[in-house]
């Protein structure tokens, strides 16, 4: 076997290991009994050690060393396989193992403390551990790349090629336009209309309806499942990509968009070519922004469009036996109303949540903002961006687990995903009849375009290159503003 | 770390690996979508290779070599840990790896072919693969221990210390008594009474009722789950032992005893001391006979006793809203009626099914019975033992997957489990008030006695030694006949 094939063989084994870990995690979140949790932690630690050991073995080092020297002998796809593997290898071997294991422990402790602190609405409880995590993260970043800011190291991990100065300039250009649109919506009668209908629904009815709708979107139940969890998520294996939602009996709209979001992730992952599933391009080449773009395409661009509901609404009524007016429903799911809690935010103000978190991350890593100032800065920015007054840490700085869970540099990918999305949507509309397809129940045409142009090749390029491949131009945040403006103008008659 | 602790550490890792494989298997049988099956096979093969590699590593060989030389330095429990690990190590290292991997492939193919052959009711379809499996099994047995019959090698694997001549003599002594009792039952009016009641029940009602009853038996839902599968089974992890049943909507009695049987396995496994869970005594020291004994204790000795139902029946009626007469029900679940299909057999004629299979296994391995004669011999024995005429292979030789699945030497453990059971029951009744405890709803007393005297120490001794420890005498099959006679005499008024 030549070196390249040897590398692919190792990558394949890493994929198998990762698939096993995913399955164990899925079970931990769905079906595990409480006394099984400790044993499961041992199993996950075992698999994670195995993964790291195989990834950073001297065999891999030797293979990569030899392959990187003759990169020109390979075609583009092969070069990508080699170089993303090499990047991950370097990232993992540059950091001393004990730091990574310390971080794992801190993270797991941090998430527990976060849950308790949020319950007590007291950020001070989390502060000591957050201090430690941030200190350790800075140290780890300096091992990986001492010549850039730690924040850039983290961003690059989730969104290869992206960095904080780029994000700052995108966000700075984008925010005023967003706020102008928000002000316009705020003045609209339809946006402020009280659309009262009964939003309760028994779980079994929700289940039948959600299974129907995600299958209609293109999610394949032969290669996946839909289950219940507290927080919706998608987890994948080869030929087996599972999604979940939280069946909120008191609010089916929240279960619905949870399921549509995860269906977007699921459809994306189900359409990665099976034969390449465990190749480095897929294991290490992905971008969080592109992943988020696809979930939001199905949740928002499709799932909140009047055209989609125009076709699906009769089926919705039939399955749920609800008595709801279609127009009311479409207005309801699109209403723009600043919320203190990010996950309940609408498509527009959601971006402001991301920006405020991102600005704080920037201060943490680029300006050494001390931890004890987090709550105050948070509350000030919520007031400034959303015009809302935070009353306690649980509805403020403690609402997200990300920082306690070591996800620094992740938030911007949510907004980047939306920007990619709108730009892709702009291209897609030139190639196929988008609204017409939705209206006629031909959603498959839209899904297939996304599969052919996005899903089949995610991970084959860095995100900025990939976006250009798909849309023939670099990232331009105006597409998102234009898309939102057009949608709200029509919906709210503004 | 000394050598003994090193061995325990490796055993612990093997336990973790085994727990992961169990979880993957559980999911394969409960929730996997169909396109995930191929990826799952890769995952299971990966874990199984990892297990074998770790078990048969030269490190383990060196450790065991050193420990076996100074076995006298250790106490009884430690010696058992060392020697059962050593036995497994020898078994696995004596056989060339390629033979084991060939067997794995043949077995997996064999099970598929079995399913197809059963559907077509045609044994000839399975014959070529069965030939190969038997040939390979003989070869493997000769590597493990060339000085005894292959059948003895297989029996010893499931029931350490047991062999075919012992089983033959036990069965030969036991069978005539069983047949006399069967004849007596056949003449009983109550046994022949048509107990007509509605045995259909919706799945959700069954689920609530079965969860209630297995929890009442002592199965702990904090350390397990009850799910639906085609064939009921129990699968364990540390702190997480899961059971299943087949919710047969057309016959709740069949789901009920499936669940009670698995609850017995579950309770047994849940009560293995957690701190020793992954020690060699538990990983390699178990006996299939003792495992089956505990499932049947809960299914039959407790679950078919009139006293149990006298207490639980009102609750059963309340949960299921059925209108059934208690006496009718108790007669119904105990009626003795020869069936062509083993898994539908009553407690008494079940043993005849085991004996007929065992006699054929004996001919296969001790007298080289050719495969093409299997159906004819099978049918003749069913006629002789059960007085029934087999019409096709699906209801005859193809009804069990065991042989196609490489489970030779396993059947006798089902009957051995019943024999252990009855002997343990005889001891238990001298120590605690069995019937009274059931009548008063104090089933916990019975369960606790089993936990203290059986579950806590399964695997610490070879089965025959363990049985003597518990009952103060060697295996005596009369206890089972006596138990059955007493139960049927009272129930059927014979």
């Amino acid at each position: 076997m030549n070196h390249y094939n040897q590398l692919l063989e190792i990558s394949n084994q890493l994929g198998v290991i990762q698939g096993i870990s995913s399955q164990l995690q899925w079970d931990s979140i769905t079906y595990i009994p409480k006394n099984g949790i400790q044993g499961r932690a041992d199993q996950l630690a075992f698999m994670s050690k195995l993964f790291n050991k195989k990834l950073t073995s001297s065999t891999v080092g030797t293979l990569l060393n030899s392959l990187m020297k003759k990169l020109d002998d390979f075609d583009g796809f092969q070069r990508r396989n080699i170089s993303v593997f090499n990047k991950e290898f370097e990232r993992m071997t540059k950091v001393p193992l004990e730091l990574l294991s310390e971080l794992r422990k801190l993270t797991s402790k941090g998430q527990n403390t976060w849950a308790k602190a949020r319950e007590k609405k007291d950020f001070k409880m989390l502060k000591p551990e957050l201090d430690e995590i941030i200190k350790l993260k800075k140290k780890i970043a300096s091992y990986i790349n001492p010549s850039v800011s730690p924040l850039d190291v983290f961003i690059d991990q989730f969104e290869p090629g992206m960095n904080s100065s780029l994000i700052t300039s995108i966000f700075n250009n984008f925010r005023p336009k967003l706020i102008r649109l928000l002000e316009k919506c705020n003045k609209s009668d339809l946006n402020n209309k009280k659309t009262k209908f009964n939003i309760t629904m028994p779980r079994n009815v929700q289940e039948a309806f959600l299974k129907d709708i995600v299958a209609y979107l293109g999610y394949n139940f032969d290669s996946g499942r839909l289950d219940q969890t507290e927080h919706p998520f998608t987890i994948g294996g080869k030929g087996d990509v599972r999604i979940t939602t939280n069946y909120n009996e008191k609010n089916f709209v929240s279960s619905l968009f949870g399921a549509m979001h995860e269906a977007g992730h699921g459809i994306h992952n189900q359409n990665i070519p099976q034969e390449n599933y465990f190749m480095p391009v897929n294991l290490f080449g992905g971008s969080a922004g592109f992943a988020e773009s696809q979930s939001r395409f199905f949740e928002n661009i499709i799932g909140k469009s009047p055209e989609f509901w125009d076709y699906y609404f009769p089926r919705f009524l039939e399955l749920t036996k609800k008595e709801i007016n279609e127009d009311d429903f479409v207005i309801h799911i699109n209403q723009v109303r600043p919320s203190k809690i990010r996950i309940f935010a609408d498509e527009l103000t959601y971006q402001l949540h991301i920006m405020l978190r991102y600005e704080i991350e920037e201060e943490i890593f680029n300006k050494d903002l001390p931890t004890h100032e987090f709550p105050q800065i948070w509350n000030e920015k919520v007031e400034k961006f959303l015009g809302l007054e935070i009353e306690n840490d649980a509805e403020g700085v403690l609402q997200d687990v990300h920082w306690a869970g070591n996800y620094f540099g992740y938030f911007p990918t949510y907004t980047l995903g939306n920007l990619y999305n709108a730009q892709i949507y702009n291209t897609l509309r030139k190639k196929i009849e988008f609204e017409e397809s939705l209206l006629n129940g031909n959603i498959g045409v839209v899904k297939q375009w996304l599969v052919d142009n996005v899903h089949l090749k995610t991970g084959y390029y860095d995100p900025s290159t990939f976006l250009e491949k798909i849309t023939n131009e670099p990232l331009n945040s105006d597409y998102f503003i234009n898309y939102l403006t057009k949608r709200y103008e029509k919906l709210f008659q503004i």
Side-chain angles (χ1 to χ4, degrees), chain A residues 457-470:
Chain A
K457 293 203 168 180
T458 320
Y460 290 19
Y461 309 94
D462 270 353
S464 61
T465 314
F466 192 37
L467 189 69
E468 274 205 59
K469 288 248 170 212
I470 302 167

Side-chain angles (χ1 to χ4, degrees), chain A residues 7 11 30 60 83 145 161-162 174 188 200 202 286 312 412 469 480 489:
Chain A
L7 194 74
S11 179
T30 50
V60 171
S83 60
N145 188 354
M162 189 52 75
F174 178 52
S188 143
T200 64
Y312 187 82
K469 288 248 170 212
F480 189 41
E489 278 181 351

Side-chain angles (χ1 to χ4, degrees), chain A residues 317-332:
Chain A
L317 295 180
E318 184 194 324
L319 286 167
T320 62
K321 317 280 180 222
K322 281 270 171 201
E323 288 186 9
I324 299 176
N325 174 287
E326 183 185 331
D327 290 341
D328 277 358
F329 179 76
V330 172
I331 289 289
H332 175 86

Side-chain angles (χ1 to χ4, degrees), chain A residues 105 124 163 192 293 360 412:
Chain A
K105 276 182 216 149
K124 283 196 294 296
N163 62 50
N192 297 322
S293 90
I360 299 176

